[in-house]
Amino acid sequence: MDITPIIDKLNPAQRSAVTAPPTSMLVLAGAGSGKTRVLVHRIAWLMQVEQVSPNSILAVTFTNKAAREMRGRIETLLNFPAGAMWMGTFHGLAHRLLRRHATEAGLPETFQILDSDDQFRLVKRIMKELNLDDKKWPPRQAQWWINGQKDEGRRARHLPEASDPFERQMLRVYLVYEQHCDKSGLVDFAELLLRAHEFLRDNADQLAHYQRRFRHVLVDEFQDTNSIQYAWLTLLTRERNNLFVVGDDDQSIYGWRGAKIENLFKFQKDNPNHQIVRLEQNYRSTGHILNAANALIAKNEGRMGKNLWTDDGPGDSISVYSAFNEQDEAYFVVDRIRQWAQEGNKRTESAILYRSNAQSRQFEEKLIAMGISYRVYGGLRFFERQEIKDALAYLRLLSNRSDDGSFERVINTPTRGIGARSLDAIRELARAEDCSLWIAAEALSRGGALPARAKGLLAIFLNLVDTLSAAVRDKPLHEQVKIVVEKSGLIDFYKQEKSDKGEARVENLEELVTAAKQFEFEAPQQEEGENLSLLDFFLAHAALESGESQGGDSDDCVQLMTLHSAKGLEFDLVFVVGLEEGLFPSLQSLEEAGRLEEERRLCYVGITRAKKKLYLTHAESRRLYGKETYPRESRFLREIPKEHIHEIRMKANVTRPVTAKAAPISTSLGSGKAGGFKLGQRVSHVKFGEGVILQAEGEGAQARVQVNFSDAGSKWLVLDFANLKAV
């Protein structure tokens, strides 16, 4: 196949990256500059021109969705399957490596993956066993601490005894947690990466094998890598100088979860002969949007340097709206979306981006009031739903009786009368005998201190699992799942939930059977040494799929999401809301060194999501987390040059209170407190319904106010006759 006509469609910078001689390369890819296109074409170039076998390529992405999209585009481009290529997330590839070498990596062949929710439950149980008060020592904090240590490559045994009480308690939990996971054959997400790194580091022959095999390693979103991911990549590529990374220091926004922007600079130091290509031509946004983003991000120090540009012209100016309060802000945003949709645009091409999840409520209320469908991006994915996790726990227990997390989840789901006292007895015996909860339960069902009734109930549960195990033997995967969701009692259990939620849960369980059947046809072919049963393969797939955010692009819905969730997405119409000091940038970023620059990068990401039209909004007073504040507009607004901005309404002169009691709001148009009302106050009218006071003018009998009514629109009313009432 002649790839030249395809390469000719790339711009000069893209072509330079795609056709470069095999060597270490950093592609500094600006927002909307076609980085996925470069990665896809680079792989195609290696296979077609450099005659590299798909077996010799390792491509790392940060989401399973991105991996699927990239593989599909490569196969379309080359017109043949690329199944032999190792392509996936860090966690997915580490899992694949460990399945092939479980014994050598110190794991049982039937090891199970703990997703984030199951890991939390296990940490919580361990802390209870250690008699740690969860109010003083929150389990979620312990979970983050353990994962943070693993992300830095530190085992519990590597950590010295700390003088700090918090560190000492966390180390206690970490030690017991590791022991429990080792005993039960459980591997959390952070452990996948750490264990894969240790396996290669400590097995010279296997390391040499994979270094020879993977002649080309390509990594997407390199700025989001953490310490252990960077160490893993370095091990694989240090002999061949063959690491091709794509990233953007200006879009590094995940420092709070371990991502190291420093890895971009470390790459250059560790690969002295590397090449750098900058992708600066943007194919997404208009000139005003890009120039505003460039000016904003230029305020950050220590950047690698990059200036986005477009051939598509300046487009509309960025609209800035100064709202009186959060209700006025929400009404303005939703009303603009309503008008935009009435002009024939798709609602799904509009997005409201906010810094904190708590901000979504006001927008949701206004969208509901106006009858506009919406979806909060990042809601629970299919495999994260309660009923699905219940069914998967039964399946995991069939595969591995030592999976204590699954045992605890289903021992009394559906309810079968096994109480907390019986479960505590099982735990105590398991600790004393250093065995799994399953073995302890078997022992107690035959003898021990439990009452006869409790023993009988325990025996019924154990027999149920054994019966299910026998029933699914040699059955196709989807039939195994169907048998488990029906015979376990889960279907009947959730049918008894007298609500729409119960019906939805039953439908989801039925959909799990469909998902299993689909997996039978779509499961990737296993290589030599990967001898998983299809059930174990499916369970691993379910665990690895959980945790990725999802959007709603199947229905015509407005998209609501945090700015962090918006990375990688694009919309015709974007609202970045809540641009106020203390909210965005966040209060924490103003108090911690280095955090402000990450907040500015987050704002840059938000701005560059917009393709055609961008609104930036802030409120002069805001009630959030139960407190009313009078914030100043965000410095990020002030850092955008005026020539790119269109002020929709001049700001009112808010008189901020000198005490905790809110002072009246004044405006250049009048006192603003005629009739005892304030600007931004919500009022009701007997004919027009509810609305927000936007402006006021005049005094006494001539005083009048402008009210923006939800249904009737904007109206000027004389206060003496309007008979407005405060809501």
Side-chain angles (χ1 to χ4, degrees):
M1 173 186 175
D2 183 10
I3 200 171
T4 306
I6 299 172
I7 296 299
D8 287 343
K9 295 178 182 178
L10 303 175
N11 68 38
Q14 292 173 335
R15 194 180 308 122
S16 176
V18 167
T19 62
T23 185
S24 291
M25 174 170 283
L26 168 59
V27 179
L28 203 59
S33 62
K35 69 178 178 65
T36 303
R37 193 180 193 197
V38 165
L39 279 166
V40 167
H41 282 75
R42 175 63 174 178
I43 293 171
W45 178 268
L46 291 172
M47 293 168 62
Q48 290 297 110
V49 178
E50 301 289 346
Q51 297 299 301
V52 174
S53 165
N55 278 305
S56 299
I57 296 175
L58 176 72
V60 188
T61 65
F62 265 80
T63 66
N64 291 307
K65 179 182 177 183
R68 286 191 292 268
E69 179 188 352
M70 197 177 297
R71 184 183 294 275
R73 287 171 67 170
I74 291 167
E75 292 178 345
T76 300
L77 190 63
L78 298 179
N79 199 29
F80 65 80
M85 189 190 313
W86 276 38
M87 177 179 287
T89 65
F90 276 103
H91 294 103
L93 294 169
H95 170 256
R96 187 172 184 177
L97 184 70
L98 293 176
R99 285 294 183 192
R100 298 188 77 194
H101 304 281
T103 304
E104 295 163 280
L107 292 169
E109 291 186 356
T110 58
F111 74 84
Q112 297 290 339
I113 300 175
L114 276 178
D115 67 16
S116 182
D117 182 55
D118 289 331
Q119 183 192 26
F120 171 72
R121 289 158 63 96
L122 176 56
V123 169
K124 188 173 182 179
R125 178 162 66 82
I126 287 171
M127 295 183 76
K128 184 177 180 182
E129 292 173 358
L130 294 174
N131 295 314
L132 292 175
D133 183 354
D134 60 8
K135 292 183 175 61
K136 186 176 181 182
W137 312 102
R140 187 71 68 189
Q141 196 170 18
Q143 180 186 21
W144 290 339
W145 191 88
I146 290 170
N147 290 339
Q149 299 303 317
K150 291 187 177 188
D151 286 345
E152 294 298 323
R154 294 190 287 260
R155 293 284 182 196
R157 62 181 178 275
H158 298 154
L159 299 170
E161 187 68 30
S163 57
D164 178 69
F166 172 78
E167 298 281 334
R168 281 204 307 271
Q169 295 294 6
M170 293 301 99
L171 181 55
R172 280 182 69 204
V173 177
Y174 190 9
L175 282 164
V176 177
Y177 174 80
E178 275 197 316
Q179 292 166 4
H180 183 93
C181 288
D182 289 343
K183 180 184 68 178
S184 302
L186 300 175
V187 177
D188 58 49
F189 283 171
E191 180 72 18
L192 283 171
L193 301 175
L194 178 55
R195 185 77 63 141
H197 175 259
E198 291 173 339
F199 164 69
L200 292 175
R201 182 197 64 194
D202 300 337
N203 291 270
D205 291 344
Q206 292 296 346
L207 175 59
H209 164 75
Y210 284 107
Q211 286 174 336
R212 287 192 303 270
R213 172 173 179 170
F214 296 125
R215 293 172 53 195
H216 298 275
V217 179
L218 303 94
V219 186
D220 192 13
E221 304 286 10
F222 189 71
Q223 77 281 349
D224 293 335
T225 54
N226 62 26
S227 295
I228 199 68
Q229 290 165 346
Y230 185 86
W232 187 71
L233 289 169
T234 302
L235 270 180
L236 279 173
T237 60
R238 66 186 180 193
E239 297 298 323
R240 284 187 172 271
N241 193 36
N242 60 342
L243 187 55
F244 184 102
V245 303
V246 180
D248 183 4
D249 56 326
D250 291 334
Q251 295 189 75
S252 178
I253 60 173
Y254 295 119
W256 51 276
R257 69 181 189 196
K260 297 288 183 69
I261 190 174
E262 299 92 334
N263 287 346
L264 282 165
F265 301 95
K266 208 171 176 184
F267 169 86
Q268 298 178 77
K269 181 181 177 183
D270 293 345
N271 298 272
N273 298 319
H274 73 280
Q275 297 182 40
I276 293 184
V277 174
R278 286 175 169 80
L279 305 183
E280 297 175 298
Q281 183 173 0
N282 179 282
Y283 294 93
R284 175 189 298 157
S285 307
T286 62
H288 277 305
I289 292 169
L290 295 180
N291 290 330
N294 288 332
L296 174 75
I297 203 64
K299 300 292 183 182
N300 276 1
E301 298 179 357
R303 296 173 59 235
M304 291 184 170
K306 184 171 69 296
N307 203 59
L308 299 179
W309 59 275
T310 180
D311 278 338
D312 289 343
D316 291 341
S317 297
I318 298 169
S319 296
V320 174
Y321 183 70
S322 176
F324 291 107
N325 57 21
E326 74 280 0
Q327 295 183 39
D328 180 29
E329 178 187 49
Y331 180 87
F332 168 80
V333 169
V334 174
D335 190 54
R336 287 298 164 112
I337 291 173
R338 178 184 61 79
Q339 295 175 27
W340 190 72
Q342 286 177 347
E343 293 168 2
N345 299 296
K346 289 185 177 180
R347 286 187 290 243
T348 194
E349 279 297 327
S350 64
I352 304 171
L353 312 182
Y354 36 79
R355 181 63 182 84
S356 165
N357 273 310
Q359 292 171 256
S360 74
R361 183 179 63 84
Q362 292 289 344
F363 298 100
E364 291 187 61
E365 288 181 356
K366 298 298 181 293
L367 287 162
I368 291 170
M370 290 193 185
I372 299 174
S373 59
Y374 70 92
R375 180 162 295 155
V376 179
Y377 191 96
L380 284 180
R381 288 179 59 83
F382 181 77
F383 287 116
E384 296 173 326
R385 293 167 183 164
Q386 174 184 321
E387 61 278 11
I388 299 302
K389 289 178 71 67
D390 290 342
L392 292 174
Y394 272 105
L395 291 163
R396 287 169 60 181
L397 201 55
L398 298 190
S399 177
N400 177 15
R401 299 293 200 280
S402 296
D403 187 337
D404 287 353
S406 295
F407 179 95
E408 285 206 12
R409 186 175 188 101
V410 300
I411 188 173
N412 208 34
T413 305
T415 307
R416 51 178 57 91
I418 300 175
R421 189 171 299 177
S422 296
L423 194 50
D424 284 342
I426 296 170
R427 290 175 184 144
E428 288 173 13
L429 182 59
R431 278 199 305 273
E433 297 296 328
D434 193 27
C435 64
S436 68
L437 295 179
W438 177 271
I439 292 174
E442 281 187 321
L444 285 172
S445 71
R446 294 191 297 264
L450 287 181
R453 181 176 181 276
K455 290 179 187 177
L457 293 171
L458 200 53
I460 290 172
F461 168 69
L462 297 171
N463 183 62
L464 169 65
V465 175
D466 286 337
T467 301
L468 288 173
S469 185
V472 303
R473 192 173 296 124
D474 299 326
K475 294 284 196 303
L477 176 63
H478 74 280
E479 288 189 23
Q480 293 183 49
V481 176
K482 187 173 188 293
I483 289 168
V484 166
V485 298
E486 291 178 351
K487 302 298 183 183
S488 65
L490 287 175
I491 292 280
D492 291 337
F493 176 64
Y494 283 117
K495 277 182 177 177
Q496 294 170 16
E497 195 171 316
K498 303 297 183 184
S499 66
D500 292 342
K501 185 179 289 186
E503 183 177 338
R505 292 194 196 281
V506 171
E507 290 173 353
N508 287 335
L509 287 171
E510 292 169 345
E511 182 62 22
L512 183 62
V513 179
T514 304
K517 192 163 189 175
Q518 184 177 351
F519 188 80
E520 290 173 340
F521 292 99
E522 296 182 354
Q525 186 175 356
Q526 298 185 59
E527 293 189 1
E528 185 178 352
E530 295 177 316
N531 298 316
L532 282 179
S533 70
L534 195 56
L535 174 58
D536 284 332
F537 210 2
F538 179 64
L539 292 172
H541 162 77
L544 291 167
E545 279 285 325
S546 70
E548 288 187 15
S549 57
Q550 65 173 353
D553 50 16
S554 58
D555 301 317
D556 190 20
C557 301
V558 178
Q559 307 295 303
L560 276 67
M561 67 192 74
T562 64
L563 284 144
H564 283 99
S565 298
K567 188 168 177 293
L569 304 176
E570 58 183 41
F571 305 92
D572 286 343
L573 174 66
V574 169
F575 296 83
V576 180
V577 301
L579 278 155
E580 299 142 25
E581 292 289 301
L583 180 57
F584 190 31
S586 68
L587 188 61
Q588 293 86 347
S589 72
L590 302 177
E591 298 170 346
E592 296 181 27
R595 287 284 297 276
L596 181 59
E597 292 210 342
E598 183 163 313
E599 289 285 293
R600 188 175 282 110
R601 293 194 292 268
L602 187 59
C603 188
Y604 173 85
V605 166
I607 288 173
T608 54
R609 299 312 93 195
K611 295 162 66 176
K612 297 179 180 177
K613 182 62 184 174
L614 173 65
Y615 287 86
L616 306 176
T617 70
H618 67 101
E620 296 175 35
S621 70
R622 182 178 298 277
R623 178 169 287 276
L624 191 63
Y625 311 123
K627 296 180 181 179
E628 186 163 359
T629 60
Y630 295 84
R632 300 189 182 280
E633 69 177 35
S634 170
R635 67 192 68 197
F636 301 152
L637 283 173
R638 300 192 294 272
E639 290 170 357
I640 297 175
K642 294 296 183 184
E643 60 263 30
H644 304 305
I645 285 177
H646 165 62
E647 292 268 4
I648 293 180
R649 178 178 63 80
M650 296 301 292
K651 295 186 294 183
N653 298 317
V654 173
T655 304
R656 291 177 173 81
V658 295
T659 66
K661 185 177 179 181
I665 302 173
S666 63
T667 171
S668 57
L669 295 176
S671 69
K673 48 185 177 179
F677 296 110
K678 299 185 298 183
L679 296 184
Q681 186 169 358
R682 194 155 190 82
V683 295
S684 67
H685 184 274
V686 66
K687 179 179 179 182
F688 302 129
E690 291 189 9
V692 176
I693 297 178
L694 300 184
Q695 299 186 65
E697 64 180 25
E699 295 181 359
Q702 303 302 314
R704 65 180 194 145
V705 293
Q706 183 188 27
V707 182
N708 205 346
F709 292 102
S710 299
D711 297 324
S714 179
K715 305 283 184 184
W716 278 99
L717 303 171
V718 177
L719 282 173
D720 274 1
F721 304 105
N723 196 24
L724 295 176
K725 298 192 182 298
V727 175

